[in-house]
Amino acid sequence: QVQFVESGGGLVQPGGSLRLSCAASGFTFSSVRMSWYRQAPGKERELVARITSGSGTTNYADSVKGRFTISRDNAKNTVYLRMNRLKPEDTAVYYCNTHPASDYWGQGTQVTVSS
C-alpha cells in the first residue's frame, strides 16, 4: 500500500526556516520522481518542487526558487524540503507525492508563517 507521512511543519516567523520530511512506502522509492505540493486555504493544490530519481535534478515553482531546496535519501525512502526565508504567503499544508502525483495522499504537514 502506497503511503506518505509528512512531518516537520509548524509556526515560524517571516524570514525563518523549516525542514520538512516525508517518509514514503509501498513502492520502489529510488526509481520514482518525487515532488512536494502545497495547498493554501481557499486555493488549489500546487506543485512546489520536484526531484528526479537518478541524477537528482530539481525544479521549483517560481514563487519558491532560490529559497526552497528539495532533496532525497533513497536509503531511507525519504524526501525533504528545506525552506528558507519563509514568507506569509508560504502558509499552507504541504504534501509529498510522486511525480506525476498518485491517487494516494498523506495527511500533510501545516506550515504557518506569521509574526
Side-chain angles (χ1 to χ4, degrees):
Q1 181 179 355
V2 175
Q3 189 173 14
F4 303 102
V5 180
E6 300 91 349
S7 62
L11 173 63
V12 62
Q13 292 187 344
S17 298
L18 283 173
R19 187 199 193 204
L20 307 184
S21 299
C22 171
S25 59
F27 60 98
T28 307
F29 180 83
S30 60
S31 300
V32 176
R33 292 178 294 182
M34 294 295 298
S35 289
W36 281 97
Y37 303 80
R38 69 184 180 187
Q39 187 166 21
K43 295 187 177 182
E44 293 188 354
R45 190 173 291 161
E46 64 172 342
L47 176 65
V48 174
R50 63 185 182 193
I51 185 168
T52 61
S53 58
S55 61
T57 301
T58 57
N59 294 94
Y60 300 92
D62 288 342
S63 58
V64 307
K65 200 172 295 183
R67 299 188 298 120
F68 289 12
T69 303
I70 186 172
S71 61
R72 65 191 296 162
D73 185 338
N74 289 337
K76 296 182 178 179
N77 285 8
T78 300
V79 61
Y80 305 97
L81 187 68
R82 176 68 179 180
M83 306 185 296
N84 295 328
R85 292 183 280 137
L86 282 161
K87 304 176 181 180
E89 51 263 44
D90 295 319
T91 295
V93 179
Y94 285 72
Y95 304 87
C96 76
N97 208 311
T98 57
H99 188 85
S102 71
D103 292 334
Y104 302 91
W105 292 91
Q107 297 283 357
T109 186
Q110 175 72 49
V111 172
T112 303
V113 185
S114 175
S115 55

